[in-house]
Amino acid sequence: MKLQVKLAVYNTLTKVAIILFTGLLILLSIEKISYNHMELRLESDEQATLNNLSSKEINGSLTTQKVYKDNNILNEEFITIKPVAYKAVLAPNGKFTTEQREFNHITKDYRVLSHRFHYNNQTYMLEIGVAIESVEELKSIIKKFTIVVLVIALVLTLISDLIFTRFLLAPLYRIIDRKLIKVNDPMNFDYEKIKTTTQDFELLDDSISSLMKKISNLFILEKQFIANVSHELLTPISIISSRLENILLQEELSEASENKMHASLKTLNRLKSIINSLLLISKVENNQYDKADMVMIAAVVMEIQEELEDRIEEKRLTFTNKLKYIYTIKGNRPLIHTLLFNLINNAIKYNNLKGSITINDELKEDTYTIKIADTGAGMDKKQIDNAFNRFEKLETDEKESYGLGLAIVKSITAFHNIRVDINSVKGEGTTVMLVFNTSAQA
């Protein structure tokens, strides 16, 4: 999950918790608030009624000891005053109850305020009621309104958080895209600062630029080291090889000495081959080759087949070239040649006597795949996992292997953005697949 989404979800959940708590508190408080409001209204009506006892209508009923009744046309409110048994001491405040009353043959629930009072040396009971039905409808409306408001608030919160976090993190994504993902060569790094008002992103931008500057300096030092190694190691080896070859030309050299000289030359050639392989890997990984050649894969395979024809015949292998497509890649032709040469040479080197090598290809909408399959020794899972490590050798009798062939393959495929996969079964053979991205080549 992206950081932007995580921040939006976190902010939303936090606000959701607050909104739900507030909404739940409102819903739970509606009834109490409604009844409190109703009771305040009843107390106000009670005071108004007591103040109007001397009015003609009320006073006439009280004087004749009749029950005074008054209710509106919808029976939402009522007032009754009736004489009761005399009490010398009365409670200072009224009493609230919820009761059912019938008016005009209609029974409803009312919130009733009952209050005893003295008037003209007589005790009366004043009852003022308000229908609860209207309150319940109001509560229902308030609940629905509250739920709608909560839902709208949640949606607006999520949308606003997503927009804000996207705006907030936009500089971070630009830093990642321009200064990490799109950086293939530290030497051509873009040191221009990303515009942002967030100090943390500015620090990240400066830190990446500083790190890339150090890496660029290390790349320069490594290139210088490679150049020095080429001169300081290969030159002495060539000189020693020449001297040993000159000594071998001497007629008075004994057979034992001649054998030692041949062994020394073989060791020097082995050392020279290892150094050249390591230098090749370093140069490829340091992007010291250009990729301006249009390389036809099928043509390179045919060249390599001709070059290795003697070795194929020596092991009596059946070499089958089933390439159907004329696929061209833009890259470095010598490196592509080395890549395919190493793979086909391995298929020969680790194959069984009278085995077979089959090369075929497959073209899809976005990829071109070439497969090099052999019937050789094969590899187990651990060997496949370590196959591209330097100096990793299979457990075979092959003496010419230095364990650098597949390391070179890995470097060249990475340099050309080619995916390389290995499928192998111990004792049955190995298939190496090179997957070219046709859209990238286009």
Side-chain angles (χ1 to χ4, degrees), residues 94-167:
K95 176 183 177 183
F96 291 99
T97 57
T98 300
E99 303 175 11
Q100 281 190 344
R101 295 293 177 91
E102 182 179 344
F103 294 98
N104 300 325
H105 306 292
I106 298 175
T107 303
K108 290 185 178 182
D109 289 326
Y110 291 88
R111 188 67 174 171
V112 180
L113 170 61
S114 303
H115 178 70
R116 293 176 185 269
F117 66 94
H118 290 307
Y119 184 73
N120 293 335
N121 298 319
Q122 176 64 43
T123 303
Y124 294 91
M125 173 66 76
L126 169 65
E127 291 183 332
I128 304 175
V130 176
I132 296 176
E133 181 180 357
S134 59
V135 176
E136 294 298 328
E137 291 178 357
L138 178 63
K139 284 165 57 179
S140 177
I141 293 172
I142 294 175
K143 286 180 180 179
K144 291 178 181 178
F145 177 76
T146 303
I147 292 173
V148 171
V149 170
L150 289 178
V151 172
I152 293 174
L154 291 179
V155 173
L156 292 177
T157 297
L158 180 59
I159 294 173
S160 62
D161 284 342
L162 283 172
I163 294 173
F164 176 72
T165 52
R166 183 175 182 179
F167 169 77

Coordinates of all heavy atoms in Angstrom, one line a residue, residues 94-167:
G94 N -43.4 21.0 40.6 CA -44.3 20.1 40.0 C -43.7 18.7 39.8 O -42.4 18.6 40.0
K95 N -44.5 17.8 39.4 CA -44.0 16.4 39.1 C -44.2 16.0 37.7 O -45.3 16.2 37.1 CB -44.8 15.5 40.1 CG -44.4 14.0 39.9 CD -45.3 13.1 40.8 CE -45.1 11.7 40.6 NZ -46.0 10.8 41.4
F96 N -43.2 15.4 37.0 CA -43.3 15.0 35.6 C -43.6 13.5 35.5 O -42.9 12.7 36.2 CB -42.0 15.4 34.9 CG -41.8 16.8 34.7 CD1 -41.0 17.5 35.5 CD2 -42.5 17.5 33.7 CE1 -40.8 18.9 35.4 CE2 -42.3 18.9 33.5 CZ -41.4 19.6 34.4
T97 N -44.5 13.1 34.7 CA -44.8 11.7 34.5 C -45.2 11.5 33.0 O -45.5 12.5 32.3 CB -46.0 11.3 35.3 OG1 -47.2 12.1 35.0 CG2 -45.7 11.3 36.8
T98 N -45.1 10.3 32.6 CA -45.5 9.9 31.2 C -46.8 9.1 31.3 O -46.7 8.0 31.9 CB -44.4 9.2 30.5 OG1 -43.2 10.0 30.4 CG2 -44.8 8.8 29.0
E99 N -47.9 9.5 30.8 CA -49.1 8.9 30.9 C -49.9 8.8 29.6 O -49.6 9.6 28.7 CB -50.0 9.6 32.0 CG -49.3 9.7 33.3 CD -50.2 10.5 34.3 OE1 -51.4 10.8 34.0 OE2 -49.7 10.9 35.4
Q100 N -50.9 7.9 29.6 CA -51.8 7.9 28.4 C -53.1 8.7 28.8 O -53.7 8.5 29.9 CB -52.2 6.5 28.1 CG -51.1 5.7 27.3 CD -51.6 4.4 26.7 OE1 -52.6 3.9 27.2 NE2 -50.9 3.9 25.8
R101 N -53.5 9.5 27.9 CA -54.8 10.3 28.1 C -55.6 10.1 26.8 O -55.1 10.0 25.7 CB -54.5 11.7 28.3 CG -53.7 12.0 29.6 CD -54.6 11.6 30.9 NE -53.8 11.8 32.1 CZ -53.8 12.9 32.8 NH1 -54.5 14.0 32.4 NH2 -53.1 13.0 33.9
E102 N -56.9 10.2 27.0 CA -57.9 10.1 25.9 C -58.6 11.4 25.7 O -59.2 11.9 26.7 CB -58.9 9.0 26.1 CG -59.8 8.8 25.0 CD -60.8 7.6 25.2 OE1 -60.6 6.8 26.1 OE2 -61.8 7.6 24.5
F103 N -58.6 12.0 24.5 CA -59.3 13.2 24.2 C -60.0 12.9 22.8 O -59.3 12.5 21.8 CB -58.3 14.4 24.1 CG -57.7 14.8 25.4 CD1 -56.4 14.3 25.7 CD2 -58.4 15.6 26.3 CE1 -55.8 14.7 26.9 CE2 -57.8 15.9 27.5 CZ -56.5 15.5 27.8
N104 N -61.3 13.2 22.8 CA -62.0 13.0 21.6 C -61.9 11.6 21.0 O -61.7 11.4 19.8 CB -61.6 14.1 20.5 CG -61.8 15.5 21.0 OD1 -62.8 15.8 21.7 ND2 -60.9 16.4 20.6
H105 N -61.9 10.7 22.0 CA -61.8 9.2 21.6 C -60.5 8.8 21.0 O -60.4 7.8 20.3 CB -63.0 8.8 20.6 CG -64.3 9.2 21.1 ND1 -64.9 8.6 22.2 CD2 -65.2 10.2 20.7 CE1 -66.1 9.2 22.5 NE2 -66.3 10.1 21.5
I106 N -59.5 9.7 21.2 CA -58.1 9.4 20.7 C -57.2 9.3 21.9 O -57.1 10.2 22.7 CB -57.6 10.4 19.7 CG1 -58.6 10.5 18.5 CG2 -56.2 10.1 19.3 CD1 -58.2 11.6 17.5
T107 N -56.5 8.1 22.0 CA -55.6 7.9 23.1 C -54.2 8.2 22.7 O -53.7 7.6 21.6 CB -55.7 6.5 23.7 OG1 -57.1 6.3 24.1 CG2 -54.8 6.3 24.8
K108 N -53.5 9.0 23.4 CA -52.1 9.3 23.1 C -51.2 9.2 24.4 O -51.8 9.3 25.5 CB -51.9 10.6 22.4 CG -52.5 10.7 21.0 CD -52.2 12.1 20.4 CE -52.7 12.2 19.0 NZ -52.3 13.5 18.4
D109 N -49.9 9.1 24.2 CA -49.0 9.2 25.3 C -48.6 10.7 25.4 O -48.2 11.4 24.5 CB -47.7 8.4 25.0 CG -48.0 6.9 25.1 OD1 -48.9 6.5 25.9 OD2 -47.4 6.1 24.3
Y110 N -48.6 11.1 26.7 CA -48.3 12.5 27.0 C -47.2 12.6 28.1 O -47.1 11.7 28.9 CB -49.5 13.3 27.5 CG -50.6 13.5 26.4 CD1 -51.6 12.6 26.2 CD2 -50.6 14.7 25.7 CE1 -52.6 12.7 25.3 CE2 -51.6 14.9 24.7 CZ -52.6 13.9 24.5 OH -53.5 14.1 23.6
R111 N -46.4 13.7 28.0 CA -45.5 14.0 29.1 C -46.3 15.1 29.9 O -46.6 16.1 29.4 CB -44.2 14.6 28.6 CG -43.2 14.9 29.6 CD -42.6 13.6 30.2 NE -41.5 13.8 31.1 CZ -41.0 12.9 31.9 NH1 -41.5 11.7 31.9 NH2 -40.0 13.2 32.7
V112 N -46.6 14.7 31.2 CA -47.5 15.5 32.0 C -46.8 16.1 33.2 O -46.0 15.4 33.9 CB -48.7 14.6 32.5 CG1 -49.6 15.4 33.3 CG2 -49.4 13.9 31.3
L113 N -47.0 17.4 33.4 CA -46.6 18.1 34.6 C -47.8 18.3 35.5 O -48.8 18.9 35.1 CB -46.0 19.5 34.2 CG -45.7 20.4 35.3 CD1 -44.6 19.8 36.3 CD2 -45.2 21.8 34.8
S114 N -47.6 17.7 36.7 CA -48.7 17.8 37.7 C -48.2 18.7 38.8 O -47.1 18.6 39.4 CB -49.0 16.4 38.3 OG -49.4 15.5 37.3
H115 N -49.1 19.7 39.2 CA -48.8 20.7 40.2 C -50.0 21.0 41.1 O -51.0 21.4 40.5 CB -48.2 21.9 39.6 CG -47.8 23.0 40.5 ND1 -46.7 22.9 41.4 CD2 -48.4 24.2 40.8 CE1 -46.6 24.0 42.1 NE2 -47.6 24.8 41.8
R116 N -49.9 20.9 42.4 CA -50.9 21.3 43.3 C -50.7 22.8 43.7 O -49.6 23.2 44.0 CB -50.9 20.4 44.6 CG -51.3 19.0 44.3 CD -51.2 18.1 45.6 NE -51.4 16.7 45.3 CZ -52.6 16.2 45.4 NH1 -53.7 16.9 45.8 NH2 -52.8 14.9 45.2
F117 N -51.8 23.5 43.8 CA -51.7 24.9 44.3 C -53.0 25.3 45.0 O -54.1 24.6 44.9 CB -51.5 25.8 43.1 CG -52.6 25.9 42.1 CD1 -53.6 26.9 42.2 CD2 -52.8 24.9 41.1 CE1 -54.7 26.9 41.3 CE2 -53.8 25.0 40.2 CZ -54.8 26.0 40.3
H118 N -52.9 26.3 45.8 CA -54.1 26.9 46.5 C -54.6 28.1 45.8 O -53.9 28.9 45.3 CB -53.6 27.3 48.0 CG -53.3 26.2 48.9 ND1 -54.2 25.1 49.1 CD2 -52.2 25.9 49.7 CE1 -53.6 24.2 49.9 NE2 -52.4 24.7 50.3
Y119 N -55.9 28.1 45.8 CA -56.6 29.3 45.2 C -58.0 29.4 45.8 O -58.8 28.5 45.8 CB -56.8 29.0 43.6 CG -57.3 30.2 42.9 CD1 -56.6 31.4 42.7 CD2 -58.7 30.2 42.5 CE1 -57.1 32.5 42.0 CE2 -59.2 31.3 41.8 CZ -58.4 32.4 41.6 OH -58.9 33.5 40.9
N120 N -58.1 30.6 46.4 CA -59.4 30.9 47.1 C -59.7 29.8 48.2 O -60.8 29.2 48.2 CB -60.6 31.0 46.1 CG -60.4 32.2 45.2 OD1 -59.8 33.2 45.6 ND2 -61.1 32.1 44.0
N121 N -58.7 29.5 49.0 CA -58.9 28.6 50.1 C -59.3 27.2 49.6 O -59.9 26.4 50.3 CB -59.9 29.1 51.1 CG -59.5 30.4 51.7 OD1 -58.3 30.6 52.0 ND2 -60.4 31.3 51.9
Q122 N -58.9 26.8 48.4 CA -59.1 25.5 47.9 C -57.9 25.0 47.2 O -57.1 25.8 46.6 CB -60.3 25.6 46.8 CG -60.6 24.3 46.1 CD -61.1 23.2 47.1 OE1 -61.9 23.5 48.0 NE2 -60.6 22.0 47.0
T123 N -57.7 23.7 47.3 CA -56.5 23.1 46.6 C -56.9 22.5 45.3 O -57.9 21.8 45.2 CB -55.9 21.9 47.5 OG1 -55.6 22.4 48.8 CG2 -54.7 21.3 46.8
Y124 N -56.1 22.8 44.3 CA -56.4 22.4 42.9 C -55.2 21.6 42.4 O -54.0 21.8 42.8 CB -56.7 23.6 42.0 CG -58.0 24.3 42.4 CD1 -57.9 25.4 43.2 CD2 -59.2 23.9 41.8 CE1 -59.1 26.0 43.6 CE2 -60.4 24.6 42.1 CZ -60.3 25.6 43.0 OH -61.5 26.3 43.3
M125 N -55.5 20.7 41.4 CA -54.4 20.0 40.7 C -54.4 20.5 39.3 O -55.3 20.4 38.5 CB -54.7 18.5 40.7 CG -53.7 17.7 39.8 SD -52.1 17.7 40.5 CE -52.3 16.5 41.8
L126 N -53.2 21.1 38.9 CA -53.0 21.5 37.6 C -52.2 20.5 36.8 O -51.1 20.1 37.3 CB -52.2 22.9 37.6 CG -51.7 23.4 36.3 CD1 -52.8 23.7 35.3 CD2 -50.8 24.6 36.5
E127 N -52.7 20.1 35.7 CA -52.0 19.1 34.8 C -51.8 19.7 33.4 O -52.8 20.1 32.8 CB -52.7 17.8 34.7 CG -52.7 17.0 36.0 CD -53.4 15.7 35.9 OE1 -54.3 15.6 35.1 OE2 -53.1 14.8 36.7
I128 N -50.6 19.8 33.0 CA -50.3 20.3 31.6 C -49.6 19.2 30.9 O -48.6 18.7 31.4 CB -49.5 21.6 31.7 CG1 -50.2 22.6 32.5 CG2 -49.2 22.1 30.3 CD1 -49.3 23.9 32.7
G129 N -50.0 18.8 29.7 CA -49.4 17.7 29.0 C -49.1 18.1 27.5 O -49.8 18.9 26.9
V130 N -48.1 17.4 27.0 CA -47.7 17.6 25.6 C -47.5 16.2 25.1 O -46.9 15.3 25.7 CB -46.3 18.3 25.5 CG1 -45.9 18.4 24.0 CG2 -46.4 19.7 26.1
A131 N -48.1 16.0 23.9 CA -48.0 14.7 23.2 C -46.5 14.3 22.9 O -45.8 15.1 22.4 CB -48.8 14.6 22.0
I132 N -46.2 13.0 23.2 CA -44.8 12.6 23.0 C -44.6 12.2 21.5 O -43.5 12.2 21.0 CB -44.5 11.4 23.9 CG1 -44.6 11.8 25.4 CG2 -43.2 10.7 23.6 CD1 -44.4 10.7 26.3
E133 N -45.7 12.0 20.8 CA -45.6 11.5 19.4 C -44.8 12.5 18.6 O -44.0 12.1 17.8 CB -47.0 11.4 18.8 CG -47.1 10.9 17.4 CD -48.5 10.8 16.9 OE1 -49.4 11.0 17.6 OE2 -48.6 10.4 15.7
S134 N -45.1 13.8 18.8 CA -44.3 14.8 18.0 C -42.8 14.8 18.3 O -42.0 15.0 17.5 CB -44.9 16.2 18.3 OG -44.8 16.5 19.7
V135 N -42.6 14.5 19.6 CA -41.2 14.4 20.0 C -40.5 13.2 19.3 O -39.3 13.3 18.9 CB -41.0 14.3 21.5 CG1 -39.6 14.1 21.9 CG2 -41.6 15.6 22.2
E136 N -41.2 12.1 19.3 CA -40.6 10.9 18.6 C -40.3 11.1 17.2 O -39.3 10.7 16.6 CB -41.6 9.7 18.8 CG -41.7 9.2 20.2 CD -40.4 8.7 20.8 OE1 -39.6 8.2 20.1 OE2 -40.2 8.9 22.0
E137 N -41.3 11.8 16.5 CA -41.0 12.2 15.1 C -39.8 13.1 14.9 O -39.0 12.9 14.0 CB -42.3 12.9 14.5 CG -43.5 11.9 14.4 CD -44.7 12.7 13.8 OE1 -44.6 13.9 13.6 OE2 -45.7 12.0 13.6
L138 N -39.7 14.0 15.8 CA -38.5 14.9 15.8 C -37.2 14.1 16.0 O -36.2 14.4 15.4 CB -38.7 16.0 16.9 CG -37.5 17.0 17.0 CD1 -37.4 17.8 15.7 CD2 -37.8 18.0 18.1
K139 N -37.3 13.2 17.0 CA -36.1 12.4 17.3 C -35.7 11.6 16.0 O -34.6 11.4 15.7 CB -36.4 11.4 18.4 CG -36.3 12.1 19.8 CD -37.0 11.2 20.9 CE -36.3 9.9 21.0 NZ -36.9 9.1 22.0
S140 N -36.7 11.0 15.3 CA -36.4 10.2 14.1 C -35.8 11.1 13.0 O -34.9 10.6 12.4 CB -37.7 9.6 13.6 OG -37.5 8.8 12.4
I141 N -36.4 12.3 12.9 CA -35.8 13.2 11.8 C -34.4 13.6 12.2 O -33.5 13.6 11.3 CB -36.7 14.4 11.7 CG1 -38.1 14.1 11.2 CG2 -36.0 15.5 10.9 CD1 -39.1 15.2 11.2
I142 N -34.1 13.8 13.5 CA -32.8 14.2 13.9 C -31.8 13.1 13.7 O -30.7 13.3 13.2 CB -32.8 14.7 15.3 CG1 -33.6 16.0 15.5 CG2 -31.4 14.9 15.8 CD1 -33.8 16.5 16.9
K143 N -32.2 11.9 14.0 CA -31.4 10.7 13.8 C -31.0 10.5 12.3 O -29.8 10.3 12.0 CB -32.1 9.4 14.4 CG -32.1 9.4 15.9 CD -32.8 8.1 16.3 CE -32.9 8.0 17.9 NZ -33.5 6.8 18.3
K144 N -32.0 10.6 11.5 CA -31.8 10.4 10.0 C -30.8 11.5 9.5 O -29.9 11.2 8.8 CB -33.1 10.4 9.3 CG -33.9 9.2 9.5 CD -35.2 9.3 8.7 CE -36.1 8.0 9.0 NZ -37.4 8.1 8.3
F145 N -31.1 12.7 10.0 CA -30.3 13.8 9.5 C -28.8 13.6 10.0 O -27.9 13.9 9.3 CB -30.8 15.1 10.1 CG -30.0 16.4 9.7 CD1 -30.0 16.9 8.5 CD2 -29.2 16.9 10.7 CE1 -29.3 18.0 8.2 CE2 -28.4 18.0 10.4 CZ -28.5 18.6 9.1
T146 N -28.7 13.2 11.3 CA -27.4 13.0 11.8 C -26.6 11.9 11.0 O -25.4 12.1 10.7 CB -27.5 12.6 13.3 OG1 -28.2 13.6 14.0 CG2 -26.1 12.4 13.9
I147 N -27.3 10.8 10.7 CA -26.6 9.7 9.9 C -26.2 10.2 8.6 O -25.1 9.9 8.1 CB -27.6 8.5 9.8 CG1 -27.8 7.9 11.2 CG2 -27.0 7.5 8.8 CD1 -28.8 6.8 11.2
V148 N -27.1 11.0 7.9 CA -26.7 11.5 6.6 C -25.5 12.5 6.7 O -24.6 12.4 5.9 CB -27.9 12.3 6.0 CG1 -27.5 13.0 4.7 CG2 -29.0 11.3 5.6
V149 N -25.5 13.3 7.7 CA -24.4 14.2 7.9 C -23.1 13.5 8.1 O -22.0 13.8 7.6 CB -24.7 15.2 9.0 CG1 -23.4 16.0 9.4 CG2 -25.8 16.2 8.6
L150 N -23.2 12.4 9.0 CA -22.0 11.6 9.2 C -21.4 10.9 8.0 O -20.2 10.9 7.7 CB -22.3 10.5 10.3 CG -22.6 11.0 11.7 CD1 -23.0 9.8 12.6 CD2 -21.4 11.7 12.3
V151 N -22.3 10.4 7.1 CA -21.9 9.7 5.9 C -21.2 10.7 5.0 O -20.2 10.5 4.4 CB -23.1 9.0 5.2 CG1 -22.6 8.5 3.8 CG2 -23.6 7.9 6.0
I152 N -21.9 11.9 4.8 CA -21.3 12.9 3.9 C -20.0 13.4 4.5 O -19.0 13.6 3.7 CB -22.3 14.1 3.8 CG1 -23.5 13.7 3.1 CG2 -21.6 15.3 3.1 CD1 -24.6 14.8 3.0
A153 N -19.9 13.5 5.8 CA -18.6 14.0 6.4 C -17.5 12.9 6.2 O -16.4 13.3 5.9 CB -18.8 14.2 7.9
L154 N -17.9 11.6 6.3 CA -16.9 10.6 6.1 C -16.4 10.6 4.6 O -15.1 10.5 4.4 CB -17.5 9.2 6.4 CG -17.8 8.9 7.8 CD1 -18.4 7.5 8.0 CD2 -16.6 9.0 8.7
V155 N -17.3 10.7 3.7 CA -16.9 10.8 2.3 C -16.0 12.0 2.0 O -15.0 11.9 1.3 CB -18.1 10.8 1.3 CG1 -17.7 11.0 -0.1 CG2 -18.9 9.5 1.5
L156 N -16.4 13.1 2.4 CA -15.7 14.4 2.2 C -14.3 14.3 2.9 O -13.3 14.7 2.3 CB -16.4 15.6 2.7 CG -17.7 16.0 1.9 CD1 -18.4 17.1 2.6 CD2 -17.3 16.3 0.5
T157 N -14.3 13.6 4.1 CA -13.0 13.5 4.8 C -12.0 12.6 4.0 O -10.8 13.0 3.8 CB -13.2 12.9 6.2 OG1 -14.0 13.7 6.9 CG2 -11.9 12.6 6.9
L158 N -12.5 11.5 3.5 CA -11.7 10.6 2.7 C -11.1 11.3 1.4 O -9.9 11.2 1.1 CB -12.4 9.3 2.3 CG -11.7 8.3 1.5 CD1 -10.4 7.8 2.3 CD2 -12.6 7.1 1.2
I159 N -12.0 11.9 0.7 CA -11.6 12.6 -0.5 C -10.6 13.7 -0.2 O -9.6 13.8 -0.9 CB -12.9 13.2 -1.3 CG1 -13.8 12.0 -1.7 CG2 -12.5 14.0 -2.4 CD1 -15.1 12.5 -2.3
S160 N -10.9 14.5 0.8 CA -10.0 15.6 1.1 C -8.7 15.1 1.5 O -7.6 15.7 1.2 CB -10.6 16.5 2.2 OG -10.8 15.8 3.4
D161 N -8.6 14.0 2.3 CA -7.4 13.5 2.8 C -6.5 12.9 1.6 O -5.3 13.1 1.6 CB -7.6 12.4 3.8 CG -8.0 13.0 5.2 OD1 -7.7 14.2 5.4 OD2 -8.5 12.2 6.0
L162 N -7.2 12.2 0.7 CA -6.5 11.7 -0.5 C -5.9 12.8 -1.3 O -4.8 12.7 -1.8 CB -7.5 10.9 -1.3 CG -7.8 9.5 -0.8 CD1 -8.9 8.8 -1.6 CD2 -6.5 8.6 -0.8
I163 N -6.7 13.9 -1.5 CA -6.2 15.0 -2.3 C -5.0 15.7 -1.6 O -4.0 16.0 -2.2 CB -7.4 16.0 -2.6 CG1 -8.4 15.4 -3.5 CG2 -6.8 17.3 -3.2 CD1 -9.6 16.2 -3.7
F164 N -5.2 15.9 -0.3 CA -4.1 16.6 0.4 C -2.9 15.8 0.5 O -1.8 16.3 0.3 CB -4.6 16.9 1.8 CG -3.6 17.6 2.7 CD1 -3.2 18.9 2.5 CD2 -3.0 16.8 3.7 CE1 -2.2 19.5 3.3 CE2 -2.0 17.4 4.5 CZ -1.6 18.7 4.3
T165 N -3.0 14.5 0.8 CA -1.8 13.7 0.9 C -1.1 13.5 -0.5 O 0.1 13.4 -0.5 CB -2.1 12.3 1.5 OG1 -3.2 11.7 0.7 CG2 -2.5 12.3 2.9
R166 N -1.9 13.5 -1.5 CA -1.3 13.4 -2.9 C -0.5 14.7 -3.2 O 0.6 14.6 -3.7 CB -2.4 13.2 -3.9 CG -1.9 13.1 -5.3 CD -3.0 12.8 -6.3 NE -2.5 12.6 -7.6 CZ -3.3 12.3 -8.7 NH1 -4.6 12.2 -8.5 NH2 -2.8 12.2 -9.9
F167 N -1.1 15.8 -2.8 CA -0.4 17.1 -3.0 C 0.8 17.1 -2.1 O 1.9 17.6 -2.5 CB -1.4 18.2 -2.6 CG -0.7 19.6 -2.5 CD1 -0.3 20.3 -3.7 CD2 -0.4 20.1 -1.3 CE1 0.3 21.5 -3.6 CE2 0.2 21.4 -1.2 CZ 0.6 22.1 -2.3

